[in-house]
Amino acid sequence: MKKLESSRLSRMGSAIFSEVAEWKREVAARGMDVIDLGIGSPDRPPSPAVMRALEEAVRDPSMYGYPSSEGSLAFRETVARWYKHRFGIGLDPEQEIVTLMGSQDGLAHLAMAITDPGDAALVPDPGYPIYAASLVLAGVEPVLMPLRSENGFLPVLADIPEETARRAKFMLLNYPSNPLSAVATPEFFRAAVDFARKHELLIVHDLAYSEMAFDGFRPPSILEIEGAKEVAVEFHSLSKSFNMAGCRIAFMVGRPDVVRSLRILKSNIDYGVFNAVQRAGIAAMEEDMAPGSVPVAGLYERRRDVLIEGLRRAGWTIPKPKATMFVWARIPAGWTSRQISREMLFSSGVVVIPGDAFGSEGEGYVRIALVQEEARLQEAAERIGAFLAAARQLR
Ligand SMILES: *Cc1c(COP(=O)(O)O)cnc(C)c1O
């Protein structure tokens, strides 16, 4: 038989995630109680109103035909109202919104829809893995933008060579960021929009964590910047904002020709999101717009405090992130990301992800996900503290 494995597969994704999964299996097989802070999936269900809407829709016989690839008009109209409510931005549901089977779907397909093989695109390092993988699928050359703590984990636009900026079709940004939990200032967004106008490139902003921010901070949409709609599209997901990760529903908004290109590509690939799930998505946004709604962020804010304070008592001081369900922690000197992740898991049973899984600039960090209850996070911090104390004695 001919080799039935595309060379694309080995160029996509990082082997580190499967390595960590393997360590975890090994540790669990030894009978150790594992606290998994590796995965980035919310551990709570959607609100009762959302589940009720889904339940009712599932019993409606009219829900079972093929949906449309771009999403029902009712869903897109609700997205437009939600964007107005949340960010003060007007969107045309007919031309400026496309519904997605998760933003992973849209991010995976966007490069294929708007580039040709041989084009280049600017992507963050470290970054969410699908960004680089989507370029492999589309045959697009990745140009990595290093994100470093001394720059607030923002790309230094002035460091991007003129020639690269001219060649690049788009620039991927993600604030609040996974894995960095960094946030962007309006000044940075303004500079990015100016940069995009100057070099005639598209900004693709992934805003998956807009509703997961703390201490009163409300992450902005890049479309709030004047003129941004001419140079930007934005991805939003109901996975994190409304605990609907398993439902697979998200959307992209912004520049109409980009919305159109993605719609055309997707209309050849899929038939859209189950109508019942779109109804549940409408219910989630409606509930969010109602007075007195309770955002998901409070839960993660308390968890963040428990973990960060627990680790500080254990001698590991990490600044408190302003958003996301992740803590991006600089590791103590003398370790590599992979070493400390592995040894910590084998001796304390706590799973974290080595930072270099998200790109080489992630070396020197680990990502800790706040996806367990407070008591478990407390326990994780104590076990990590015992591990670090023992390691200090040995060294
Ligand atoms: C979780 C996450 C998403 C959401 O993906 P869905 O496919 O919508 O579930 C998108 N971007 C980032 C950075 C994420 O962490």
Side-chain angles (χ1 to χ4, degrees):
M1 189 53 102
K2 288 157 188 151
K3 187 182 171 203
L4 300 174
E5 188 185 307
S6 167
S7 60
R8 285 184 201 104
L9 301 186
S10 61
R11 284 183 287 130
M12 277 197 305
S14 158
I16 301 177
F17 290 98
S18 35
E19 218 174 299
V20 173
E22 188 50 46
W23 300 341
K24 184 185 161 186
R25 263 191 300 278
E26 226 178 296
V27 169
R30 293 181 187 178
M32 200 161 182
D33 169 40
V34 172
I35 305 180
D36 194 343
L37 308 181
I39 43 172
S41 180
D43 57 308
R44 290 286 177 94
S47 77
V50 171
M51 288 197 282
R52 215 157 38 236
L54 183 59
E55 190 181 337
E56 274 165 26
V58 160
R59 292 180 195 285
D60 176 347
S62 76
M63 291 285 108
Y64 288 86
Y66 284 119
S68 70
S69 174
E70 75 270 17
S72 71
L73 185 58
F75 180 81
R76 285 178 282 127
E77 280 171 349
T78 309
V79 168
R81 281 197 293 119
W82 188 78
Y83 247 73
K84 187 85 198 166
H85 169 87
R86 174 67 179 81
F87 304 109
I89 299 160
L91 292 170
D92 175 2
E94 300 280 4
Q95 301 204 34
E96 295 179 325
I97 303 173
V98 55
T99 308
L100 303 168
M101 306 167 88
S103 31
Q104 191 88 355
D105 156 29
L107 288 161
H109 290 128
L110 182 68
M112 265 187 268
I114 64 170
T115 64
D116 286 303
D119 284 341
L122 292 151
V123 287
D125 175 9
Y128 189 54
I130 190 63
Y131 306 153
S134 73
L135 303 189
V136 171
L137 288 174
V140 170
E141 178 201 336
V143 181
L144 300 178
M145 300 184 291
L147 306 185
R148 301 194 174 125
S149 73
E150 63 264 32
N151 306 311
F153 296 113
L154 299 167
V156 180
L157 299 174
D159 285 354
I160 299 168
E162 186 76 25
E163 185 268 340
T164 307
R166 215 172 320 114
R167 261 185 337 117
K169 269 239 168 115
F170 65 89
M171 170 193 283
L172 248 155
L173 298 174
N174 167 220
Y175 295 100
S177 156
N178 175 9
L180 304 167
S181 59
V183 301
T185 56
E187 293 71 41
F188 171 74
F189 276 160
R190 202 163 299 125
V193 167
D194 288 344
F195 184 88
R197 282 166 166 260
K198 176 162 176 232
H199 299 288
E200 303 188 316
L201 56 79
L202 177 75
I203 294 176
V204 177
H205 184 226
D206 180 357
L207 188 52
Y209 292 96
S210 71
E211 306 314 295
M212 237 185 232
F214 316 132
D215 312 322
F217 173 62
R218 297 285 273 161
S221 159
I222 197 166
L223 300 181
E224 290 173 39
I225 304 298
E226 192 171 333
K229 247 212 239 169
E230 281 116 70
V231 293
V233 290
E234 193 159 73
F235 280 90
H236 197 99
S237 172
L238 282 72
S239 297
K240 315 290 161 50
S241 301
F242 306 116
N243 289 326
M244 294 176 73
C247 294
R248 311 313 301 135
I249 184 160
F251 50 88
M252 187 191 81
V253 306
R255 213 183 128 98
D257 57 345
V258 179
V259 167
R260 183 170 173 276
S261 296
L262 185 55
R263 274 193 193 181
I264 293 173
L265 182 83
K266 280 176 52 62
S267 70
N268 284 279
I269 297 176
D270 67 66
Y271 287 109
V273 177
F274 182 23
N275 277 318
V277 168
Q278 296 191 52
R279 284 251 190 108
I282 291 172
M285 286 183 280
E286 297 281 6
E287 186 179 33
D288 190 55
M289 288 186 278
S293 68
V294 184
V296 294
L299 172 79
Y300 292 95
E301 185 173 320
R302 288 188 296 278
R303 290 178 177 182
R304 173 201 68 171
D305 293 347
V306 164
L307 183 79
I308 298 266
E309 275 150 33
L311 290 177
R312 188 172 42 77
R313 279 194 296 276
W316 192 1
T317 305
I318 303 159
K320 279 189 183 177
K322 287 200 181 69
T324 80
M325 56 204 260
F326 304 109
V327 170
W328 183 245
R330 195 196 284 280
I331 59 178
W335 298 89
T336 67
S337 297
R338 215 177 297 199
Q339 272 172 351
I340 197 168
S341 304
R342 187 172 192 284
E343 292 195 25
M344 199 154 83
L345 172 52
F346 277 81
S347 77
S348 73
V350 179
V351 183
V352 301
I353 303 290
D356 54 327
F358 303 94
S360 59
E361 290 287 338
E363 179 54 55
Y365 292 85
V366 294
R367 189 192 75 176
I368 311 174
L370 303 168
V371 290
Q372 304 279 346
E373 301 296 344
E374 286 171 41
R376 290 291 274 172
L377 290 171
Q378 179 75 46
E379 159 101 28
E382 281 161 20
R383 289 198 212 166
I384 291 172
F387 158 74
L388 289 174
R392 272 194 292 269
Q393 295 244 308
L394 286 174
R395 279 161 183 245

